[in-house]
Amino acid sequence: MPATLTSVDAEGFGRELDRIRDEVIESLGERDARYIRGLIAIQRKLELGGRALLIASWFPPAWITGTAALATAKILENMEIGHNVLHGQWDWMRDPKIHSTTWEWDTASPADQWKHSHNFVHHTWTNVLGKDRDVGYSVLRISPEQRWHPIYLAQPFYNALLALFFEYGIAIYDLELERIPSGRKDPKEALAQLRAVATKIRRQVVKDYVAFPLLAGPAFLPVLLGNLTANLARNVWAHTIIFCGHLPEGAEVFTEDRLEGETRGEWYVRQLLGSCNIDGGGLFHIMSGNLSHQIEHHLFPDLPSNRYAEIAPRIRALCERFGLPYTSGSLARQAASVWKRVLRMALPGPRQRPPATAPPVKTLGAVA
Amino acid sequence: MIPKRATPSAARPGPAILRRLAAAARWLASPLLPEDYLGLINPLWTAGDLCGRVEEVIPETADAATLVIRPGRGWVVHRPGQWVPIGVDIRGRRHWRTFSLSSAPGRPDGRVTITVKAMREGLVSNHLVRRTEPGTVIRLGRPEGAFVLPESPPPRLLFVTAGSGVTPVMAMLDGMLGGAPAVEGPDVVLVHSAPTPDEVIFGRRLRSLAARCPRLRLYERHTRAEGRLRPADLARLCPDWTARAVWACGPPAMLDEIAAHWTGPTDRLRVERFRLVPTVVGSGGRVCFTRSGREADADGGTSLLAVGEGAGVLMPSGCRMGICYSCVARLRSGRVRDMRTGQVHGEAGDMIQTCVSAAAGPIEIEL
C-alpha cells in the first residue's frame, strides 16, 4: 500500500528522526572508536591468516579455511569497513588513517569515483527513476515504469553474471557511460576515470592472481584458485545484500515529480519507503556491512554503522506511530523477492506506464 | 585529486635490494601500505602516521607531569627548545596540541619528554596529566620552532621563564649542563616565576643542578608572596641582562614587558609565546570546505582550523598559533580575519593559515 505524503506528517516524522540523529552524534565516543579500530585489526589479521594458510594449501583443510578466512576478510573490508568509512561515518574521529578522504579499498572502483556515484547520486536521489542510477544499475529493468525491451529477456542471466563479477560491474557503472551519447557526460572525463579504474584493477589482479600465487611457489595454482574463490564469494555476497536493499517487495520507486519542493521530512519518508531491511543476528549484520539496516543507513548515511542496530527499534516504533511501512524480512525471503522481481520484469508489463505520463500530482509520487 | 597515503619511505635512500623489497611489499599490501599491517604488531612501526608510546608519567607538581615518550619510526631529532605537535584521542576524537620538548636531544635511551601543565578547562592538558596511562600510544608531529639554542651557545645567557614556560628551557639546560658539570662553559642565569615553591615545575631538579653547577645561577620568584616579576627586578637580579643572549617564555604580559624594556640588539632577545591570544572578534560566516564538501557556520572568534575539525574535515595542522604554516590552505572565495591583528585580508587563490584565520563573511576554502 503506497504511503502518500498527504496521509503522513512528514515534518513531524523528520523532527523525530533529527532528534535521534542528534542524540547519536552527541554520544559518539571511545566505544565507537574501539569498535572500528578493533574491526579493522580483526579484518587485517584474518586476511594475513587466510593468505598464510593458502600458502600451505597442498593440505586441503588449509585451502578451505584459508579461502574462507580470506573471503570473510574481503567481505568485511568492502562492506562493514570500506563502504562505511567512505560514507564519512568515522570522519568525526579525525584519524587520517580512517577517513573518507584518504581511504582506498579492495575493489575495482577507485574510492573517489565510487563516492560520487554512491554517496551523492544514489543516496540523494534514492529510487527516483531517471535520477538514481542505482535503480537497475542502468542494465536491469526492475520497475514497470521502465520501458520494456527484448534485451531484458536476458536479464536473469546477466544479473547472475553481474553477481559473480560485481566489483567490475560497479566500476564500469561508475563511469556513467550511458550518459555520453546525450552529452551529459564528457567522454574525456570518462576516459580519465577508465584509466584510473584500469590502474586499480591491474594492481588488484597482480596482487591476487600473480604476486601471492608466485610467493606460494609450488602452491601457485591452489593459491590462485583460493584468491579467485574469495573474490567471487565476496562479489556474490555483496550483490545479494545490496540488491536486497532497494528491490524486494515493498520497496517503492518514485518519479521525478516527487522531488519538486521536497522537504527534509519528505526526503526522510522517501528514503524509508525506498529501502528494505534484512533480519538477522549480530554477526550477520556485521558481515552485511550493516546494510541489513538499509533503512537506518539511508536515513542517516553518515552515522557509524555500529549504531544502526541500536536505533532500529526506535525507527520501527516511529514508523508505526506515523503509519509508515517499515519493510524487513529474512535474507532468504528478501533475496527470493528480488529474484522474483528480476524475473517478472524481464517480461513486458505488468502495467507499462512510462514515467513521462505519470500523473504530475505530488501526492501520487509513490507509484510502485 | 587529493594525494593518497603518500609513502615517506619511498624516497628514502638505501640499498637497491631493500628498495625493491619495499616496492614488492607495497604491491602485496595494495590498496593499503605494508606499514598498515606492521602497525598491527607495533604501532610505532608506522612511519606515515608517526606515533609514540608513553612509557612513564612522572608527576612534577600537583598539576603538572612529565610524559616520557618513545617515538616511533620516522621521528626527526629535535633541537633543544623546540615544540612538537601531539595528537591524543579523547572520547574517540583526535585532538592536536603543541608542547615544548623538555628533554635534550639524543638521550641514550632514545626517548623524549614533554612536560604538561593541566590548564583549567584544558581538555588535552588535563587528559595528558591526569588520565594517561603508561602504554598509551599518541601521535607525534615534526619538532618545530625557532626558540632554540644555537649550535655553539653564546658565553653569557639569561633565561626568563614563568610557569610551564620553563619546559623548553629545561631541554636547553639539560643539553648544556646536564652532563658532568664542567667548570668551563657558558655562564647561565635562570630567573623563573611560579606561584609557590611547590608549584615550580622541575623545582628539585633545577635546585640540585644549580647546587652542583657553579655556572648556573637560579633565581626563583614565588609570585604569590613576592608579586609578579618586573623588568626592574630583572635588572636587579642580573644587572648585565641586556648584554646577555636572552630566551624568555611565559605569559604574554611578562613577555611584552621584557620586550618593551629590552635595550640590547633585537636578535639577542628570543621570546616564545605559548598561547595565541585572539585580539579581535570578527563577523563570522558560512564556511564551505570545497574538497570534502562539508559546510559549517563559523563565528568570528573561532579559527577556520577549529571550524573544520568540528565539521569532520581532515584539517592539516601544526603549531596552532600561526607560525609553522603546516595548516595553510587555498582560499577560493571570501575574506578572512587574522585573529592576531584583526586585519581582514584574503583574495581568491591566497594560501591562508587556518589556525589564526577566522571567517569574515561567507568563505570557500579548498580543503
Side-chain angles (χ1 to χ4, degrees):
Chain A
M1 177 67 191
T4 58
L5 287 184
T6 43
S7 64
V8 165
D9 174 13
E11 297 324 295
F13 183 63
R15 274 194 300 276
E16 293 290 335
L17 289 177
D18 281 340
R19 194 170 305 147
I20 293 176
R21 178 190 167 77
D22 292 346
E23 250 178 63
V24 172
I25 287 177
E26 185 55 37
S27 67
L28 290 178
E30 189 61 39
R31 172 171 71 100
D32 306 277
R34 258 206 308 273
Y35 170 77
I36 191 66
R37 292 216 172 88
L39 189 71
I40 289 173
I42 289 173
Q43 183 272 326
R44 288 180 186 168
K45 285 173 188 165
L46 256 179
E47 188 197 337
L48 290 174
R51 292 195 188 276
L53 278 168
L54 276 174
I55 286 177
S57 57
W58 42 265
F59 181 54
W63 188 88
I64 293 167
T65 45
T67 303
L70 188 58
T72 308
K74 278 176 175 276
I75 286 169
L76 287 174
E77 194 268 355
N78 269 198
M79 304 194 69
E80 180 65 345
I81 301 171
H83 167 267
N84 293 332
V85 169
L86 288 175
H87 260 291
Q89 293 182 5
W90 302 98
D91 285 10
W92 59 273
M93 299 199 304
R94 300 183 203 141
D95 181 345
K97 283 277 185 185
I98 310 177
H99 200 275
S100 63
T101 58
T102 60
W103 195 264
E104 194 46 88
W105 55 343
D106 179 20
T107 185
S109 307
D112 279 338
Q113 291 181 27
W114 183 84
K115 275 189 286 184
H116 173 79
S117 70
H118 181 82
N119 290 4
F120 172 57
V121 179
H122 168 57
H123 272 271
T124 312
W125 314 121
T126 309
N127 280 26
V128 175
L129 284 169
K131 295 288 270 183
D132 178 7
R133 296 178 57 253
D134 280 23
V135 177
Y137 292 96
S138 66
V139 291
L140 297 174
R141 179 172 183 261
I142 52 95
S143 147
E145 279 65 38
Q146 288 171 282
R147 201 191 302 273
W148 184 81
H149 185 279
I151 186 91
Y152 291 127
L153 287 170
Q155 80 173 14
F157 169 73
Y158 61 69
N159 188 39
L161 214 61
L162 177 65
L164 278 175
F165 300 101
F166 193 52
E167 59 172 317
Y168 302 108
I170 291 296
I172 295 165
Y173 161 77
D174 284 352
L175 302 175
E176 304 181 308
L177 297 176
E178 85 282 3
R179 296 165 72 96
I180 293 177
S182 61
R184 284 178 302 168
K185 174 93 179 185
D186 181 358
K188 272 194 213 129
E189 192 196 341
L191 196 66
Q193 287 182 325
L194 188 63
R195 274 201 207 100
V197 171
T199 307
K200 185 117 191 260
I201 291 179
R202 189 165 58 99
R203 284 198 89 98
Q204 306 296 103
V205 166
V206 167
K207 174 185 177 177
D208 277 344
Y209 304 130
V210 181
F212 275 106
L214 277 177
L215 213 61
F220 182 94
L221 203 60
V223 169
L224 188 146
L225 288 176
N227 291 352
L228 180 68
T229 309
N231 279 328
L232 294 181
R234 186 262 320 271
N235 287 351
V236 171
W237 178 255
H239 174 275
T240 304
I241 295 295
I242 288 163
F243 270 53
C244 286
H246 301 292
L247 294 182
E249 184 76 46
E252 292 181 21
V253 175
F254 311 95
T255 50
E256 271 188 55
D257 44 350
R258 171 81 180 234
L259 296 173
E260 210 174 296
E262 190 180 58
T263 63
R264 184 164 173 80
E266 289 162 357
W267 182 86
Y268 272 135
V269 172
R270 178 160 59 81
Q271 297 299 332
L272 168 75
L273 299 181
S275 308
C276 303
N277 280 7
I278 314 171
D279 303 328
L283 187 63
F284 170 72
H285 289 314
I286 290 176
M287 290 303 288
S288 77
N290 270 300
L291 292 182
S292 48
H293 291 112
Q294 189 77 234
I295 292 173
E296 287 72 23
H297 175 56
H298 262 268
L299 295 173
F300 310 118
D302 59 347
L303 286 188
S305 56
N306 61 324
R307 297 300 194 104
Y308 291 155
E310 293 174 23
I311 59 172
R314 296 173 66 186
I315 305 289
R316 192 189 273 265
L318 212 56
C319 289
E320 211 161 286
R321 209 177 101 202
F322 282 82
L324 285 161
Y326 182 98
T327 314
S328 191
S330 70
L331 179 62
R333 207 190 89 183
Q334 302 296 71
S337 174
V338 169
W339 275 99
K340 205 175 107 195
R341 189 187 274 219
V342 169
L343 290 167
R344 175 62 193 90
M345 292 298 154
L347 304 170
R351 44 183 176 101
Q352 201 175 346
R353 193 175 56 181
T357 61
V361 185
K362 196 167 158 196
T363 51
L364 293 176
V367 289
Chain B
M1 206 162 108
I2 304 159
K4 294 200 171 192
R5 306 210 154 198
T7 45
S9 56
R12 190 179 299 161
I17 177 81
L18 285 183
R19 279 206 306 275
R20 289 230 186 97
L21 275 176
R26 278 201 294 281
W27 275 90
L28 293 177
S30 166
L32 300 177
L33 295 171
E35 66 176 40
D36 292 328
Y37 294 96
L38 289 176
L40 292 174
I41 307 167
N42 185 345
L44 301 197
W45 292 348
T46 58
D49 183 30
L50 179 59
C51 291
R53 184 181 286 115
V54 177
E55 295 191 333
E56 281 178 67
V57 180
I58 306 163
E60 296 286 351
T61 66
D63 53 6
T66 292
L67 279 71
V68 184
I69 300 162
R70 177 161 313 278
R73 205 162 67 86
W75 171 252
V76 181
V77 174
H78 68 286
R79 295 179 63 188
Q82 287 194 310
W83 42 260
V84 63
I86 302 268
V88 194
D89 290 344
I90 304 172
R91 287 193 60 218
R93 284 173 179 78
R94 185 148 310 163
H95 297 264
W96 285 92
R97 296 288 187 277
T98 59
F99 295 98
S100 292
L101 286 151
S102 54
S103 59
R107 271 168 56 139
D109 64 2
R111 302 191 294 181
V112 297
T113 68
I114 57 168
T115 302
V116 182
K117 185 172 177 201
M119 310 300 288
R120 206 178 309 145
E121 289 172 29
L123 176 73
V124 174
S125 60
N126 272 289
H127 182 85
L128 286 174
V129 172
R130 308 191 200 285
R131 290 186 293 276
T132 300
E133 299 285 332
T136 304
V137 172
I138 56 173
R139 261 70 190 178
L140 299 173
R142 277 177 76 92
E144 303 259 6
F147 187 75
V148 292
L149 275 185
E151 285 294 324
S152 50
R156 285 184 299 162
L157 303 85
L158 167 66
F159 298 102
V160 187
T161 59
S164 57
V166 73
T167 53
V169 170
M170 194 67 234
M172 301 186 195
L173 293 178
D174 228 10
M176 278 190 297
L177 314 165
V183 184
E184 301 269 306
D187 172 78
V188 182
V189 178
L190 167 60
V191 181
H192 178 64
S193 301
T196 63
D198 284 343
E199 285 169 84
V200 175
I201 295 173
F202 306 127
R204 278 173 50 197
R205 214 165 128 198
L206 286 171
R207 286 163 208 143
S208 87
L209 192 62
R212 274 189 295 136
C213 180
R215 290 192 284 122
L216 170 66
R217 270 181 290 153
L218 168 68
Y219 296 104
E220 286 182 44
R221 174 87 171 195
H222 303 129
T223 54
R224 192 152 300 155
E226 302 165 72
R228 230 179 68 192
L229 182 85
R230 302 279 170 185
D233 303 317
L234 211 49
R236 186 168 47 75
L237 292 169
C238 183
D240 65 342
W241 77 285
T242 53
R244 288 176 175 254
V246 179
W247 281 262
C249 185
M254 181 188 95
L255 299 179
D256 290 344
E257 274 189 4
I258 291 176
H261 287 78
W262 179 252
T263 54
T266 48
D267 61 341
R268 266 205 267 140
L269 172 66
R270 298 164 181 85
V271 296
E272 179 89 315
R273 288 167 197 274
F274 271 178
R275 257 176 302 164
L276 161 74
V277 187
T279 52
V280 180
V281 173
S283 52
R286 187 87 179 152
V287 182
C288 172
F289 299 90
T290 59
R291 270 195 210 147
S292 52
R294 302 284 163 93
E295 288 195 27
D297 283 315
D299 62 44
T302 308
S303 70
L304 295 173
L305 176 59
V307 171
E309 287 179 340
V313 181
L314 206 58
M315 301 289 288
S317 69
C319 67
R320 310 182 82 95
M321 54 198 282
I323 55 181
C324 79
Y325 287 81
S326 299
C327 67
V328 292
R330 199 176 297 281
L331 189 66
R332 189 176 281 181
S333 71
R335 290 172 67 74
V336 296
R337 190 181 299 270
D338 188 318
M339 294 163 74
R340 297 162 298 181
T341 62
Q343 188 208 359
V344 174
H345 66 102
E347 283 172 17
D350 279 1
M351 298 299 284
I352 55 157
Q353 294 171 274
T354 60
C355 71
V356 288
S357 302
I363 67 159
E364 286 180 301
I365 187 162
E366 292 181 9
L367 276 169

